[in-house]
Amino acid sequence: MPIITVREISKHYPARPGAKALFGRGGIASWFRAEEPSPPALAGVSLSVEPGESLGIIGGNGSGKSTLLKILAGVTLPTSGEVLVEGRVASLLELGAGFHPMLTGRENVYLNATILGLRRREVDTIFDDIVAFSGIGEFIDQPVDTYSSGMYVRIAFSVAVHANPDIFLVDEVLAVGDEAFQRKCRRKIAELKAAGKTIIFVSHDLGIVNALCDRVVLLNRGRMIERDAPQAAIDYYLRQIGHASGIHRMQGPCSEVIFSHGRISLFHAGKEITAPGGLGLTLQAFEQPHPSTEADWNLACAEPDRFIAEGTMSRMPLTVTWEGKLDDDVLTLTVSFTAQQHCQLDAATVQFFLPLTLTTFHLGAGAIDTPDIPPTALEPTALTLPDAGSRGFLAVAPDGNAPPVSLAFTPGDPRMTVQLINTDYMTGARCVTFATQRPQSDREIPAGRHELATFHLDLGMTADNARERWSALDEARTVRAGALTVKAGRGRLACFENGQSLTHAVHAQAMLCIGQLWVLSDALAWNTPERRGDTLTLEARSLRFPLRLRWTLGSEPHGVRWRVDLIADDHITLDGHNVTLALTEDFRRWNLGDEQGDFPPFHDEQAWRGLNTRYTPTRKITAARDEGLAVGLSIPEDAPPQHPSALNTGSAQAARVLQFLENPAPSHPLAYAPGEHCLFNGWITLEREDV
Amino acid sequence: MSGHLYSSTHQRRIAPVFRELVRSRQLLLGLVWKDIRVRYRYTAIGFLWAILEPVALMLILTFVFSVVLADKAAFARPSGDTPYAVFLLCGLVFWQFFSNALNNATQSLLESANLVRKVRFTREIVPLAAMGYPLVNLLIGIALLLVLHLLLGGTLTWHALWLLPLLVVQLALAVGLGLLLSCGNVRYRDVGYMVSVALIFGFYASPVFYGLEFVTANKSIPAWVSVAYQANPMAGLITAYRDVMLHATNPAPALILWPALCAVLSVGVGLVVFRRAAPTLSDHL
């Protein structure tokens, strides 16, 4: 039994006498003048709403949304057709109907509640709730014309929401008030929805409509165009009507990318694989968030397979640029921003919203199963990632009932961190954030272009080919030698034997000591690995020192070749350097050639503890695990031996470490002239002794 | 109000209006109470003005017609033992009610445009609530009148009970005209101006500060003027009020039949016209 039934309604607004000129239109003068009929505000609209349903109404300006709402609210009649509404309606569209400025808040609450249909006795019981929700406090006994506009909205909203009607008409009232109040409003609306109230939502924000509404109605010039599941209606809107300058659509063999005013939605085989909210960028300055959807967008380049969109931020002197290229279902997105002048930037976060159906996230070394979001979740929850240094992820749904999503990214700023978040219940999505948080001391950015990151998304993945295509992405940075697999990450190498992890914590890295400070290779800015046949080359540059590192990895019979070159752009002095191999804690014995020993239990929480006493230069160092497996580093015969070391990390990292190091005396640091210098050129070895 | 069905096609029916008005009585009373509270907020003597205003007007007019224009206005002052002040106050109290009620009602929909445009409720409430405050003033005025009458040596008899049916006729007349004029004013704002002028005219065209005999028994006034004069329902009503309250006589049937007929007509027409216009009022506001 529908709670609202609308049958073929049309609405023509009558000519208003005296509306034009002194002698009026529709008045006496109009009898002498031929009148053109004005276009109808609504024409032939029909729909029905079931109790407890939430319906979204979208459409451009002048589409008849407000007229339809007025008719649903019972404030006016359609010129033809019929409307049936069962139950009390409260409209949050324009708050404070009936508020008189000279009355106190208390008197106005009673009056407004009576207008909305409550009895005085009912108002008595909920009065305290109303005041508590609004946060007005003692001002409730002051005349309303002393209230600030924020207080006014809060008390008006509070009354409307506690008036317990059956049907709510809501619009961008949620955009008024400060952050805390908006959250309260959203929470309250979620509660209302859960309590079975019918909600009719009018908005220009397609994301919110998609998130909140069970169904969406699209109006255009008074006609109802589409009435369907939210995404279908919104797609239609974006395609046919929203072809304003800020929207672009690219299509691949079975994928589609829609860029809409700073938000990107991705589709595979016609279905959206992103959650509403899509992929978007938020900048933060002076503790205030500035989503890039707020910016003024236009497309500098709009081709079927690539686009460049520029958005001028309204409250920051920045232009955000999204560049996208769709090549055979693989989307490459580059996000950057250009500052017109030096300005303040606290953080830049790219947010990627994914549907709840994707529960397992595979990252670099491991995977995480995300928990469900309970209805009590009112705030987002961050989830711990098994491999925080991973440069990409693959998200899959159980039983393959939703297309998997894969993403690989290259950050422009090495400070970028990845986080996986379960949003609050109302938003109902997973969110992967790529955030660059700038330290307090470094919040001013100079004018010019700043690259944030480049993302590669494979939109052609289905549940079947996901693993293959994901491993294909993986292959690009993997080198194998026999049973040993080495995957190059961001300045670190992860080693595996037949899929099982050998390395842990810092994995395999190169470390440089400059000015008594240890710089780990994963703190440098690495670019995408380049593959040439069997060798993989990675290059990094340091943002603080005039140096670069180049790693060359190769597959050789002896093991995986690992060559570390230091490229100095200026004279550099190192107080030491090493290559480190951090293994899992189940490795028991270490062998540095001249010296051997057992790895004792971890002693301290943080501090690394050296285990060897002699540093006799050698060419091979290994660590052994129980079943006859030995992993280590070795140097070829034709190169000079280096000083080895075996260490335990702290219990926080729980890894066993082997190192080849150069630790000169403090009075004789290593000086490097500009140019290339090889720091290490050897192998990562894996040996199995037949048991 | 669950179980209550709003159907757009039934909005022009009159019968449901009465049930709705009874249901929304708290809203009606709330609006009247709001008017009263707001009117005297931030004043020093507050509600006393409800008494002071009519008394002041009475004093001024008494002064003008009894002292300043004493001889020239002798025709206006009736013979008999009722003091002019009381005679005047009686006319004033009921006329003021009529005048204020109509003026307020006419402007009521425009003033509550905010409410009408945003909330669904029985629109009749607005002009009715607008007449609430003048009604309160009327009751105070009647009390004041009785006090003054008794103080200045008059008597109160059972004839005064005629006041109740007379008030019913008066209220019906006001309500009917109020409904009609309020929705007319929304469509054509001219109505508001016309009503304002008409009521000023009405003050002089009704036996407020003079008696009805001045017109009916006056040789120098042409007959058609006399007849036209008596077409004013307030003419009969005010005279009837005076008869029952001050002169302790039953009112002449001729005096009250015509106003009663006018009242019935105006309520009928007012209800119908208002109901037709009510659902789409917000389009014009």
Side-chain angles (χ1 to χ4, degrees):
Chain A
M1 190 46 218
I3 200 172
I4 297 178
T5 314
V6 176
R7 285 197 206 115
E8 285 297 311
I9 58 169
S10 299
K11 179 73 183 172
H12 289 256
Y13 277 107
R16 312 249 316 239
K20 241 200 304 202
L22 215 46
F23 286 104
R25 178 166 149 263
I28 298 181
S30 77
W31 297 346
F32 299 103
R33 226 184 286 148
E35 286 291 318
E36 307 133 26
S38 50
L42 284 178
V45 175
S46 302
L47 60 93
S48 71
V49 183
E50 299 294 322
E53 199 182 341
S54 52
L55 177 79
I57 301 183
I58 59 176
N61 292 330
S63 55
K65 295 198 298 289
S66 24
T67 307
L68 179 59
L69 281 164
K70 274 205 222 167
I71 289 176
L72 289 176
V75 155
T76 187
L77 283 189
T79 318
S80 67
E82 189 187 2
V83 172
L84 289 160
V85 177
E86 175 105 35
R88 220 159 55 202
V89 178
S91 165
L92 299 176
L93 298 176
E94 287 164 281
L95 296 169
F99 266 50
H100 194 286
M102 277 171 69
L103 296 178
T104 65
R106 184 183 296 266
E107 291 166 333
N108 269 313
V109 166
Y110 273 92
L111 187 59
N112 213 6
T114 314
I115 288 169
L116 290 173
L118 290 174
R119 302 246 156 260
R120 255 200 101 83
R121 221 165 303 133
E122 291 167 347
V123 185
D124 286 331
T125 45
I126 57 171
F127 185 78
D128 292 320
D129 295 329
I130 294 176
V131 179
F133 184 87
S134 68
I136 295 286
E138 73 228 6
F139 282 93
I140 197 67
D141 285 308
Q142 301 279 343
V144 161
D145 53 10
T146 61
Y147 288 8
S148 67
S149 53
M151 291 163 76
Y152 185 92
V153 164
R154 278 169 15 220
I155 188 73
F157 182 82
S158 188
V159 177
V161 137
H162 285 90
N164 204 26
D166 304 299
I167 301 168
F168 276 95
L169 304 178
V170 186
D171 78 337
E172 254 94 23
V173 67
L174 293 184
V176 183
D178 64 4
E179 189 68 39
F181 182 67
Q182 280 186 47
R183 261 185 278 135
K184 240 203 253 189
C185 289
R186 271 186 259 262
R187 196 181 317 166
K188 193 72 191 176
I189 299 217
E191 282 174 30
L192 294 173
K193 193 161 188 277
K197 302 287 179 192
T198 311
I199 302 184
I200 306 210
F201 206 84
V202 177
S203 181
H204 291 286
D205 185 342
L206 305 176
I208 289 188
V209 167
N210 204 354
L212 287 179
C213 304
D214 303 325
R215 269 172 48 216
V216 166
V217 163
L218 172 64
L219 291 177
N220 187 32
R221 283 193 236 282
R223 266 164 229 285
M224 191 164 69
I225 304 290
E226 191 72 20
R227 193 185 115 216
D228 210 333
Q231 196 48 59
I234 288 173
D235 289 347
Y236 189 97
Y237 177 65
L238 287 177
R239 273 166 239 222
Q240 307 301 336
I241 287 139
H243 51 66
S245 48
I247 299 188
H248 183 68
R249 188 169 151 246
M250 298 195 296
Q251 259 190 322
C254 58
S255 65
E256 204 176 328
V257 175
I258 296 185
F259 175 89
S260 166
H261 296 104
R263 185 184 287 137
I264 293 184
S265 305
L266 305 170
F267 299 78
H268 168 83
K271 280 175 54 170
E272 191 179 7
I273 56 177
T274 39
L279 188 62
L281 168 68
T282 302
L283 299 168
Q284 189 178 324
F286 299 110
E287 316 289 325
Q288 288 293 319
H290 299 257
S292 69
T293 43
E294 265 179 19
D296 213 1
W297 287 93
N298 78 302
L299 289 156
C301 156
E303 276 160 46
D305 63 341
R306 57 187 280 265
F307 73 91
I308 300 178
E310 281 161 9
T312 322
M313 297 292 292
S314 47
R315 287 178 288 151
M316 291 172 78
L318 296 176
T319 311
V320 178
T321 311
W322 284 83
E323 280 175 52
K325 217 159 76 123
L326 187 61
D327 192 7
D328 191 26
D329 284 345
V330 175
L331 174 69
T332 309
L333 275 174
T334 308
V335 193
S336 58
F337 57 89
T338 315
Q340 275 94 48
Q341 61 194 56
H342 70 90
C343 64
Q344 165 109 346
L345 181 69
D346 299 343
T349 311
V350 175
Q351 290 164 310
F352 193 12
F353 287 91
L354 294 168
L356 283 177
T357 45
L358 299 173
T359 51
T360 311
F361 281 73
H362 297 267
L363 300 106
I368 175 175
D369 275 313
T370 51
D372 284 333
I373 305 180
T376 51
L378 298 167
E379 301 285 346
T381 345
L383 305 168
T384 350
L385 288 176
D387 183 355
S390 143
R391 286 298 188 78
F393 66 85
L394 168 69
V396 289
D399 315 318
N401 54 11
V405 174
S406 81
L407 179 141
F409 75 99
T410 316
D413 187 330
R415 282 172 292 207
M416 181 168 273
T417 53
V418 185
Q419 252 202 324
L420 177 58
I421 296 175
N422 262 354
T423 61
D424 58 293
Y425 185 65
M426 260 232 329
T427 315
R430 316 265 180 220
C431 182
V432 184
T433 60
F434 305 87
T436 309
Q437 183 85 24
R438 302 177 77 91
Q440 280 281 31
S441 50
D442 190 19
R443 294 227 166 142
E444 275 243 1
I445 54 165
R449 193 189 147 96
H450 302 260
E451 257 209 32
L452 264 179
T454 304
F455 300 95
H456 298 273
L457 296 115
D458 188 342
L459 302 173
M461 275 196 196
T462 59
D464 308 313
N465 61 27
R467 303 298 338 246
E468 294 165 40
R469 289 179 82 129
W470 178 243
S471 341
L473 274 176
D474 234 15
E475 275 311 301
R477 53 188 187 106
T478 304
V479 178
R480 284 171 228 277
L484 175 67
T485 307
V486 172
K487 279 198 211 172
R490 179 189 60 182
R492 53 166 71 169
L493 303 174
C495 304
F496 302 84
E497 187 220 4
N498 296 328
Q500 241 205 339
S501 251
L502 297 169
T503 49
H504 191 61
V506 295
H507 300 271
Q509 288 200 35
M511 301 184 190
L512 309 171
C513 186
I514 308 178
Q516 308 296 323
L517 278 171
W518 280 99
V519 178
L520 277 67
S521 55
D522 68 1
L524 305 175
W526 290 87
N527 55 14
T528 329
E530 260 179 55
R531 197 168 199 105
R532 269 183 229 115
D534 258 338
T535 55
L536 198 64
T537 314
L538 302 91
E539 231 185 77
R541 61 188 168 86
S542 164
L543 296 177
R544 274 191 287 168
F545 306 103
L547 60 85
R548 280 173 289 151
L549 268 189
R550 188 197 303 129
W551 289 3
T552 316
L553 299 168
S555 172
E556 284 175 26
H558 203 101
V560 171
R561 160 80 64 171
W562 182 18
R563 184 193 163 117
V564 179
D565 287 299
L566 170 72
I567 307 163
D569 296 317
D570 198 353
H571 290 278
I572 295 207
T573 314
L574 292 182
D575 295 316
H577 63 84
N578 66 48
V579 287
T580 300
L581 183 64
L583 301 165
T584 50
E585 72 179 287
D586 49 0
F587 282 80
R588 300 262 172 257
R589 293 188 52 80
W590 48 272
N591 186 336
L592 303 182
D594 191 32
E595 209 180 336
Q596 298 106 44
D598 284 331
F599 284 107
F602 296 108
H603 183 78
D604 201 86
E605 202 191 310
Q606 294 292 339
W608 288 26
R609 189 159 157 249
L611 302 168
N612 55 326
T613 48
R614 300 191 291 274
Y615 288 83
T616 330
T618 180
R619 284 203 179 84
K620 183 168 163 143
I621 57 178
T622 53
R625 213 162 62 184
D626 287 328
E627 329 83 63
L629 177 75
V631 175
L633 298 165
S634 66
I635 303 176
E637 293 298 316
D638 53 358
Q642 289 187 298
H643 300 280
S645 181
L647 308 100
N648 253 358
T649 61
S651 57
Q653 291 178 299
R656 316 288 187 191
V657 176
L658 294 174
Q659 285 182 337
F660 269 124
L661 45 78
E662 275 301 323
N663 222 351
S667 48
H668 299 293
L670 304 162
Y672 293 94
E676 286 192 23
H677 310 269
C678 176
L679 297 182
F680 176 78
N681 188 0
W683 298 285
I684 303 172
T685 58
L686 181 145
E687 279 158 1
R688 263 207 178 270
E689 289 153 22
D690 297 314
V691 178
Chain B
M1 289 190 221
S2 48
H4 171 64
L5 180 67
Y6 164 84
S7 165
S8 61
T9 47
H10 297 167
Q11 285 305 298
R12 297 219 156 97
R13 297 217 197 126
I14 298 183
V17 171
F18 296 104
R19 191 186 53 201
E20 279 309 310
L21 284 176
V22 171
R23 253 204 216 175
S24 327
R25 60 189 182 281
Q26 281 194 356
L27 174 58
L28 186 54
L29 293 172
L31 287 174
V32 174
W33 185 223
K34 172 200 82 171
D35 265 343
I36 296 174
R37 264 178 306 176
V38 164
R39 197 171 187 101
Y40 297 116
R41 200 149 272 197
Y42 303 140
T43 58
I45 59 174
F47 205 58
L48 272 184
W49 280 109
I51 303 171
L52 280 179
E53 265 189 279
V55 167
L57 192 55
M58 176 205 77
L59 287 173
I60 291 167
L61 284 173
T62 308
F63 184 66
V64 167
F65 286 106
S66 287
V67 177
V68 173
L69 299 176
D71 298 321
K72 303 224 170 60
F75 60 88
R77 297 199 303 279
S79 48
D81 29 273
T82 331
Y84 184 64
V86 179
F87 173 87
L88 183 61
L89 188 61
C90 184
L92 259 184
V93 160
F94 292 99
W95 173 257
Q96 289 283 54
F97 164 72
F98 187 66
S99 171
N100 287 343
L102 281 194
N103 263 329
N104 284 3
T106 310
Q107 299 300 330
S108 62
L109 283 171
L110 292 184
E111 277 167 14
S112 305
N114 222 22
L115 211 52
V116 173
R117 275 203 319 252
K118 295 173 189 175
V119 187
R120 185 221 310 175
F121 63 95
T122 315
R123 305 292 191 223
E124 277 80 351
I125 289 180
V126 175
L128 287 179
M131 291 191 266
Y133 177 69
L135 185 63
V136 170
N137 262 354
L138 174 65
L139 297 173
I140 295 173
I142 292 175
L144 191 65
L145 175 66
L146 289 173
V147 165
L148 199 62
H149 177 60
L150 292 170
L151 265 179
L152 293 181
T155 49
L156 203 55
T157 61
W158 291 115
H159 293 101
L161 284 178
W162 271 102
L163 193 59
L164 290 165
L166 285 176
L167 274 180
V168 169
V169 171
Q170 172 88 79
L171 282 172
L173 188 66
V175 163
L177 285 175
L179 286 174
L180 191 63
L181 294 170
S182 60
C183 65
N185 196 28
V186 170
R187 192 82 207 267
Y188 295 96
R189 306 285 159 95
D190 315 75
V191 169
Y193 298 113
M194 281 173 5
V195 165
S196 182
V197 169
L199 285 171
I200 294 175
F201 174 68
F203 179 77
Y204 297 98
S206 305
V208 180
F209 59 92
Y210 55 85
L212 184 60
E213 317 79 60
F214 171 67
V215 175
T216 49
N218 196 325
K219 298 292 189 289
S220 48
I221 291 180
W224 64 268
V225 173
S226 178
V227 170
Y229 184 91
Q230 285 175 80
N232 177 5
M234 284 307 279
L237 275 173
I238 292 181
T239 316
Y241 288 126
R242 286 193 181 123
D243 282 344
V244 305
M245 291 180 78
L246 309 177
H247 304 149
T249 48
N250 289 322
L255 278 179
I256 54 176
L257 271 177
W258 172 242
L261 189 65
C262 286
V264 168
L265 261 174
S266 73
V267 168
V269 172
L271 277 175
V272 169
V273 171
F274 191 91
R275 242 314 95 189
R276 270 203 63 82
T280 47
L281 279 174
S282 60
D283 292 341
H284 299 276
L285 284 168

